[in-house]
Amino acid sequence: MRPIDGPKLADRLQAIPPFHVMEIVRIAEALEASGVDVIHLEVGEPDFPTSPSVIERACSALHAGKTRYTDARGIQPLRDALSQWYQGQGLDVPASRIQITVGASGGLLLSAAATTNAGDAVLMADPAYPCNPRFVEAVGGVVHWIPTNASTQFQPRCAQLEDMATERDRSLMLAHPANPTGQAVPAIELERMIQWCRNTQRHLIVDEIYQNLAFTQGLQSSLAFSNEHFVIGSFSKYFNMTGWRLGWMVIPDYALEATQRLAQHLFICAPSFAQEAALACFEPDAMRAAEAHRIELQARRDLLIPRLEAMGFEIAADPDGAFYVFVDASNVTQNSQQFCMDLIRQTGVAITPGVDFSETLPPTWIRIAYTQPIARLEEAMQRMASFIHG
Ligand SMILES: Cc1ncc(COP(=O)(O)O)c(C=O)c1O
């Protein structure tokens, strides 16, 4: 496409790579338009609906005129509900440290803006959620990638940080469990990295939006080890509220007042009626549904893994949570982008090439999101097996 003339855009726009999965999405849309049954395993959002009680609460809130700005920190009852929820998990997180945000995305941008000066570097594992570098770059920072591999479930190790960190690295950003792998940071490493950040005076930001979607018994929040770092949470995944744009951030005391001030300037507040509606998430029916969904996701993972392994895909370790499995397809293809395009064209199964998540891994990785009911996953596995083995 010929560029349209206009004033020069910011340099950071040049650095934004295209999402390779968009090519898969484009083919999927064209196939669906022509009547093909497409099975979507490419999108990072749960297929479960938002709880009816949350929807009812949103409607009543709208009718009651809850359509105006709220307190910039979020409405007090929601901050209290989150604090109590943490308390139920054995974590002492006072409501005063909880900032309601516009999704986890708002929290990630806010934490990057609160901790990064222009030119500062942020340590981040490769592979990563592809929007993370953008939050850092948006505030003038750069990413210092930490190479990882399957032997450490694609999570960094503290010894690596000790070896590679430079003066320029002002913070460490972790995801626990991570996208695209669903792998968590082992507790011992989490403790070490928390300690390392403390000793070296670096900020720590831990994205825990999948922490409640953990399958591993006792997978602990990083808040169990320290209250001196930023933690990002979200209603998007565990409560199936991706479109409501609601999340939260737990802010360490040393950054509390300044970060809240910045939040007010950047966002004013998170959507008011969504905040009111989210209060219903903590009622027994919605909590029961969320828990049932987590168990369903675990059953899906347990169905997929042996089926994928039987097709020749390699999986380093069972994902600890979320709804992703990151597989090495090198026994099947040396070009996962081409493989994903051929697969969607010939079978209608849409999955995501790993290049969208990594600067350094060979182009043989694939992310599969198990965001379809079991019967659809079975169907997808059958189609993939016949595609691979004929
Ligand atoms: C690791 C990770 N963090 C943050 C987000 C963004 O979540 P939200 O919808 O709460 O902005 C996503 C979305 O897929 C994600 O995978």
Side-chain angles (χ1 to χ4, degrees):
M1 200 170 61
R2 199 176 66 82
I4 300 168
D5 287 340
K8 189 178 176 304
L9 293 166
D11 292 343
R12 68 175 65 86
L13 267 66
Q14 308 298 326
I16 301 178
F19 276 140
H20 294 83
V21 72
M22 289 323 288
E23 183 64 7
I24 312 291
V25 170
R26 197 187 55 71
I27 300 169
E29 281 169 1
L31 287 172
E32 271 175 332
S34 67
V36 172
D37 171 34
V38 171
I39 305 181
H40 290 279
L41 307 181
E42 81 282 31
V43 189
E45 72 181 327
D47 51 317
F48 308 118
T50 303
S51 165
S53 55
V54 173
I55 294 173
E56 275 160 32
R57 191 69 83 92
C59 294
S60 337
L62 285 166
H63 287 300
K66 306 274 183 178
T67 55
R68 307 174 75 97
Y69 295 141
T70 68
D71 186 312
R73 295 166 298 180
I75 58 172
Q76 191 61 42
L78 188 58
R79 299 168 72 215
D80 289 339
L82 282 162
S83 173
Q84 273 163 29
W85 194 42
Y86 276 124
Q87 196 151 38
Q89 299 165 52
L91 301 168
D92 181 20
V93 182
S96 57
R97 289 181 51 216
I98 297 175
Q99 166 75 42
I100 306 297
T101 57
V102 183
S105 307
L108 288 164
L109 180 61
L110 184 58
S111 58
T115 56
T116 313
N117 278 327
D120 284 351
V122 177
L123 288 156
M124 199 183 288
D126 177 329
Y129 171 56
C131 302
N132 279 349
R134 306 293 93 76
F135 299 124
V136 172
E137 289 156 11
V139 297
V142 294
V143 174
H144 187 179
W145 291 110
I146 313 165
T148 67
N149 58 46
S151 73
T152 58
Q153 285 82 47
F154 298 104
Q155 288 285 5
R157 291 288 176 263
C158 192
Q160 264 182 297
L161 304 179
E162 286 163 356
D163 283 351
M164 67 179 282
T166 68
E167 276 296 301
R168 206 179 170 197
D169 298 317
R170 292 303 320 132
S171 45
L172 168 66
M173 207 183 247
L174 297 173
H176 172 70
N179 178 4
T181 62
Q183 301 288 354
V185 184
I188 179 84
E189 283 295 327
L190 199 50
E191 272 193 273
R192 282 184 185 140
M193 288 193 265
I194 288 170
Q195 192 62 45
W196 179 77
C197 285
R198 187 183 293 137
N199 293 346
T200 62
Q201 287 282 296
R202 289 187 168 91
H203 306 284
L204 173 63
I205 300 158
V206 186
D207 180 347
E208 297 196 350
I209 79 165
Y210 297 113
Q211 199 262 328
N212 293 101
L213 280 179
F215 314 134
T216 312
Q217 272 280 319
L219 182 77
Q220 281 180 304
S221 159
S222 61
L223 290 162
F225 305 109
S226 167
N227 53 18
E228 292 168 32
H229 61 286
F230 294 83
V231 171
I232 310 290
S234 178
F235 288 88
S236 285
K237 315 285 175 157
Y238 185 61
F239 294 112
N240 305 301
M241 293 176 66
T242 44
W244 298 70
R245 309 313 303 129
L246 202 63
W248 70 91
M249 187 158 98
V250 179
I251 306 174
D253 280 334
Y254 76 85
L256 187 56
E257 191 273 327
T259 308
Q260 285 173 337
R261 220 168 346 117
L262 180 62
Q264 181 159 31
H265 283 246
L266 287 183
F267 304 111
I268 301 187
C269 65
S272 51
F273 61 92
Q275 294 190 56
E276 294 286 341
L279 288 170
C281 291
F282 303 100
E283 285 166 9
D285 62 332
M287 287 308 279
R288 265 194 303 275
E291 202 43 23
H293 292 145
R294 186 185 65 78
I295 289 164
E296 158 78 14
L297 289 174
Q298 183 165 5
R300 294 179 185 180
R301 176 199 70 171
D302 294 344
L303 167 93
L304 277 195
I305 287 180
R307 303 285 284 273
L308 290 166
E309 284 176 335
M311 283 180 233
F313 295 109
E314 283 183 29
I315 298 157
D318 288 1
D320 294 311
F323 33 74
Y324 308 113
V325 55
F326 196 52
V327 303
D328 180 7
S330 55
N331 294 331
V332 178
T333 180
Q334 294 310 305
N335 181 345
S336 63
Q337 168 77 5
Q338 190 59 49
F339 176 86
C340 292
M341 292 209 294
D342 294 343
L343 184 76
I344 177 73
R345 282 203 187 96
Q346 292 181 39
T347 69
V349 176
I351 55 178
T352 304
V355 281
D356 275 344
F357 306 98
S358 176
E359 303 258 314
T360 56
L361 286 174
T364 56
W365 289 83
I366 290 172
R367 187 193 77 175
I368 299 170
Y370 34 100
T371 48
Q372 293 286 328
I374 295 266
R376 294 289 281 165
L377 289 178
E378 299 249 21
E379 167 73 19
M381 292 302 103
Q382 270 166 23
R383 291 191 203 175
M384 280 176 75
S386 353
F387 174 74
I388 292 167
H389 299 125

